Amino acid sequence: MDRHEGGNMAFDYELDFAQINFRDQPELYRVGRGEQGVLLVEPYKSEILPHWRFKTPEIAKVSSDKIYQMFLDYQAAGDFVGMDMSRKFLQMGYTRSRRYANYKGGRKYDENGDLTLHTTKVVGFLGSTP
C-alpha cells in the first residue's frame, strides 16, 4: 500500500472512503497528484466544499479567503490532511476560475463541440489579474 509515484505517495482509490474518517485515521491518507481525492476524503470534503465558489471574482475572493483561513486553522491544529485538502480545493478553485476567465460562462465547448475561447480578463481565484 506504500506505493510511490514521482516521489509522492500515490492516491489509493481502493480505500473504502464511505467508511473512513481521515481525521481519525490520517495514516491512511495519500497525497497523490494535484487534486486527486478532493471529493472523497471525509470529513474534510464536507467541511470545505460548502465554501468552494468561483463563478465571479467577488465570490471567488470570499471563497479563497475562507478556505485559506481553514488551511491556517488546520495548520494550527497540526492537521496535515486538512491542510492538504484545503490546498487541493484552492488549487481546484484556481483552475476552475481560469476556465471562467478563458471560456465565456465557464463553458469550454459550445453546443457544437467547438472551443469557446474569449479574451476578457477576469480576476483570478486568489485575487490576481491574469
Side-chain angles (χ1 to χ4, degrees), residues 99-100 102-110 114-117:
R99 178 171 289 173
Y100 277 93
N102 292 330
Y103 303 101
K104 187 175 176 73
R107 293 182 177 260
K108 190 171 183 177
Y109 300 97
D110 65 17
D114 297 323
L115 284 174
T116 62
L117 187 63

Side-chain angles (χ1 to χ4, degrees), residues 21-41:
N21 178 321
F22 285 90
R23 182 169 287 126
D24 294 340
Q25 296 181 283
E27 71 279 3
L28 296 176
Y29 181 72
R30 299 294 180 264
V31 172
R33 289 179 174 216
E35 301 159 11
Q36 286 182 317
V38 74
L39 298 176
L40 296 173
V41 176

Side-chain angles (χ1 to χ4, degrees), residues 73-94:
D73 293 343
Y74 290 130
Q75 183 181 41
D79 186 341
F80 173 79
V81 180
M83 291 168 55
D84 194 53
M85 288 293 292
S86 298
R87 175 199 61 82
K88 287 181 180 190
F89 271 96
L90 288 170
Q91 181 177 339
M92 190 166 62
Y94 178 78

